[in-house]
C-alpha cells in the first residue's frame, strides 16, 4: 500500500481548514484515511499548525510520502530535521543528547522568529489604528471649525437684526 501524508479539506467556502492525515494514495482527497496527525489553518498569520510530532516522525521514517504542502509543513515543524538528526545518531556522528540539544536550539530560534512576526503584526495594527484616529480627529476639528463659523455668522446676523430693530424703534418715538 502506497501511503501518503496529505491534507484533507474542511471549513466553509473561501475559508479553508485542513486536517493532516495519513491515507492510501488511491483514496479520495476527503475520503477514507488511516490516521489523523494534525491540523493546518492557513487563515491566520502566521499559519496555525497543530501536529502530533511523534506520529508524523514515525510515518516519515516508515516511508510515507508527503505532498508538497505537507512536506513544507513538516519542515517548518522540524520533523525532517529530527529525522536527519536521528540518522546522525544511528551513524554515530553524535549522541542522542547532542541531537536533542540541536533540535531544541532550532525550535527556540523558530519560536523567536514567529513571536517577532506576531509582534510586528500587532504593532502594524496599533499604528494603523492610531493613524485612523488621527485622521478622524482632523475631520472632527474641520467640522467643528465649520460649525463655529456658521454659528458666528448666525450670531452676527442676529446681532445686526437686533441692532436694526432697536435703531428703528428708537427712531420712531423720536419722530413722534
Amino acid at each position: 500500500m502506497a501511503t501518503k501524508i496529505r491534507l484533507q479539506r474542511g471549513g466553509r467556502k473561501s475559508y479553508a481548514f485542513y486536517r493532516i492525515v495519513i491515507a492510501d494514495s488511491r483514496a479520495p482527497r476527503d475520503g477514507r484515511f488511516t490516521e489523523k496527525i494534525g491540523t493546518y489553518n492557513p487563515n491566520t498569520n502566521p499559519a496555525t499548525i497543530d501536529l502530533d510530532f511523534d506520529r508524523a516522525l514515525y510515518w516519515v521514517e516508515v516511508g510515507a510520502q508527503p505532498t508538497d504542502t505537507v512536506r513544507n509543513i513538516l519542515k517548518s515543524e522540524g520533523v525532517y530535521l529530527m529525522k536527519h538528526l536521528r540518522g546522525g545518531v544511528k551513524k554515530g556522528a553524535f549522541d542522542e543528547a547532542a541531537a536533542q540539544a540541536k533540535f531544541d536550539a532550532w525550535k527556540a530560534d523558530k519560536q523567536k522568529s514567529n513571536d517577532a512576526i506576531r509582534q510586528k503584526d500587532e504593532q502594524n495594527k496599533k499604528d494603523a489604528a492610531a493613524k485612523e484616529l488621527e485622521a478622524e480627529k482632523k475631520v472632527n476639528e474641520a467640522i467643528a471649525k465649520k460649525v463655529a463659523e456658521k454659528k458666528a455668522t448666525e450670531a452676527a446676523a442676529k446681532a445686526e437684526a437686533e441692532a436694526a430693530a432697536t435703531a428703528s424703534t428708537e427712531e420712531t418715538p423720536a419722530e413722534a
Side-chain angles (χ1 to χ4, degrees):
M1 172 172 93
T3 307
K4 298 216 37 114
I5 306 174
R6 64 181 179 204
L7 298 176
Q8 188 176 52
R9 193 182 194 286
R12 66 176 189 263
K13 183 177 180 181
S14 300
Y15 197 82
F17 182 84
Y18 299 95
R19 285 184 225 114
I20 303 170
V21 298
I22 310 299
D24 184 356
S25 62
R26 298 168 293 186
R29 179 193 73 179
D30 296 337
R32 192 176 54 150
F33 60 91
T34 307
E35 182 180 354
K36 176 186 165 194
I37 60 170
T39 59
Y40 169 61
N41 185 2
N43 302 309
T44 59
N45 185 21
T48 306
I49 300 169
D50 179 33
L51 185 69
D52 184 353
F53 187 85
D54 295 329
R55 293 305 293 167
L57 183 60
Y58 166 77
W59 281 105
V60 168
E61 286 179 340
V62 166
Q65 294 298 313
T67 60
D68 293 337
T69 305
V70 174
R71 181 178 293 113
N72 290 336
I73 291 170
L74 295 177
K75 282 182 182 178
S76 71
E77 290 296 305
V79 173
Y80 277 99
L81 177 64
M82 183 55 91
K83 179 184 177 194
H84 174 73
L85 292 173
R86 280 190 175 180
V89 169
K90 286 179 186 174
K91 291 178 182 176
F94 42 83
D95 61 344
E96 184 68 34
Q100 190 62 40
K102 286 183 180 184
F103 181 76
D104 291 340
W106 176 85
K107 195 69 168 174
D109 187 44
K110 179 80 170 169
Q111 184 64 35
K112 186 188 286 187
S113 66
N114 282 346
D115 290 342
I117 289 171
R118 284 190 184 99
Q119 287 177 351
K120 184 178 178 184
D121 193 34
E122 288 174 10
Q123 187 63 34
N124 287 342
K125 285 181 182 179
K126 286 180 183 178
D127 292 344
K131 203 175 203 181
E132 201 172 295
L133 182 63
E134 192 65 36
E136 189 174 336
K137 283 182 181 179
K138 285 181 181 179
V139 168
N140 288 343
E141 287 174 5
I143 291 171
K145 195 174 190 181
K146 284 182 182 179
V147 169
E149 288 174 2
K150 188 175 180 181
K151 284 184 179 180
T153 307
E154 288 176 1
K158 190 175 184 181
E160 286 178 15
E162 287 179 9
T166 52
S168 65
T169 55
E170 290 177 6
E171 290 176 10
T172 320
E175 292 175 5

